[in-house]
Amino acid sequence: EAGVAQSPRYKIIEKRQSVAFWCNPISGHATLYWYQQILGQGPKLLIQFQNNGVVDDSQLPKDRFSAERLKGVDSTLKIQPAKLEDSAVYLCASSLEARQPQHFGDGTRLSIL
Amino acid sequence: DQQVKQNSPSLSVQEGRISILNCDYTNSMFDYFLWYKKYPAEGPTFLISISSIKDKNEDGRFTVFLNKSAKHLSLHIVPSQPGDSAVYFCAALSGSGNTGKLIFGQGTTLQVKP
């Protein structure tokens, strides 16, 4: 079974620029999550999708972050404009259904200069 | 407000001995807990979980214990192997119905010495 795929693996941008991350979940997984992991901390949920609908985006900074999951499969997370404090690893995870163990991709490491 | 806490940033044990990783939580509504292992430059990998209706769950060398009255859980690895060296995250599943937010602790770095 192929795991969660994410790209790019690394991204370096200057503050105020925009950036996008892509995630392809495990086939058949209805639930998709984006987490932000700042160095030295555990991952923090940004947004959860059930199929192509948003279930929880309460911790997504909506003035600069946006996410979509078209057709209930792939997902993209965008930051525009980026701030220095957005430097982190962005992890995508998927699960068969909500409240099932989540399986994570290897993440995108974002550095803001 | 840190709802899930791992108070030991690091732990070092000898190969073949027991590793015990600890985790405390504050919200008594949490009903499902998970442990993840993370190697450098990789995403967290699901290790083992436990429901709040149980006090113990075992899978090979890994056992998770849950003490609901103390709001404490622990992961035991016996015997520890050098390949177990990684960062271990404790997580609690929050929400109900279609929501399934994992709330993570800060992680504990385990080093198993040969």
Side-chain angles (χ1 to χ4, degrees):
Chain A
E1 175 182 80
V4 176
Q6 288 190 247
S7 67
R9 288 299 312 274
Y10 304 93
K11 190 74 179 178
I12 301 173
I13 62 172
E14 295 186 348
K15 60 183 179 183
R16 290 189 289 274
Q17 285 187 324
S18 63
V19 64
F21 314 126
W22 173 82
C23 172
N24 182 239
I26 293 173
S27 178
H29 280 197
T31 315
L32 185 146
Y33 315 78
W34 284 101
Y35 287 83
Q36 179 193 58
Q37 185 177 14
I38 292 172
L39 189 65
Q41 300 180 18
K44 184 186 80 171
L45 180 73
L46 292 174
I47 189 167
Q48 177 192 345
F49 292 92
Q50 181 74 16
N51 297 309
N52 60 351
V54 175
V55 174
D56 183 356
D57 63 357
S58 57
Q59 298 198 79
L60 187 73
K62 299 180 189 61
D63 58 334
R64 299 183 299 106
F65 286 65
S66 64
E68 59 182 8
R69 190 183 184 196
L70 300 176
K71 301 180 182 178
V73 182
D74 293 7
S75 177
T76 56
L77 176 70
K78 296 179 181 177
I79 308 175
Q80 182 180 11
K83 290 185 174 181
L84 292 175
E85 62 259 34
D86 298 333
S87 292
V89 176
Y90 290 84
L91 294 160
C92 179
S94 70
S95 62
L96 204 55
E97 291 292 342
R99 302 185 66 75
Q100 295 289 317
Q102 298 174 21
H103 301 271
F104 286 81
D106 288 339
T108 296
R109 181 174 295 278
L110 175 66
S111 297
I112 313 291
L113 303 179
Chain B
D1 179 25
Q2 192 79 27
Q3 296 188 70
V4 177
K5 294 182 182 179
Q6 294 175 257
N7 291 317
S8 298
S10 62
L11 175 68
S12 182
V13 300
Q14 208 65 36
E15 180 179 6
R17 305 294 291 269
I18 184 171
S19 295
I20 300 176
L21 296 101
N22 294 302
C23 178
D24 297 295
Y25 61 96
T26 58
N27 191 337
S28 57
M29 297 299 291
F30 291 151
D31 60 359
Y32 193 67
F33 303 89
L34 306 90
W35 284 93
Y36 283 82
K37 179 169 76 171
K38 186 181 183 304
Y39 292 120
E42 294 184 11
T45 302
F46 170 67
L47 200 54
I48 192 169
S49 62
I50 188 166
S51 165
S52 60
I53 63 173
K54 295 185 176 181
D55 54 18
K56 177 183 173 181
N57 188 26
E58 192 172 350
D59 183 1
R61 296 185 298 114
F62 302 91
T63 303
V64 56
F65 295 92
L66 176 62
N67 183 334
K68 284 179 61 179
S69 61
K71 296 192 182 69
H72 177 84
L73 63 156
S74 60
L75 175 68
H76 292 211
I77 307 174
V78 182
S80 302
Q81 300 173 354
D84 297 329
S85 297
V87 179
Y88 288 79
F89 289 98
C90 166
L93 188 61
S94 175
S96 59
N98 270 348
T99 63
K101 177 167 66 178
L102 285 177
I103 298 177
F104 285 87
Q106 310 94 307
T108 296
T109 300
L110 173 66
Q111 182 185 27
V112 180
K113 297 179 179 178

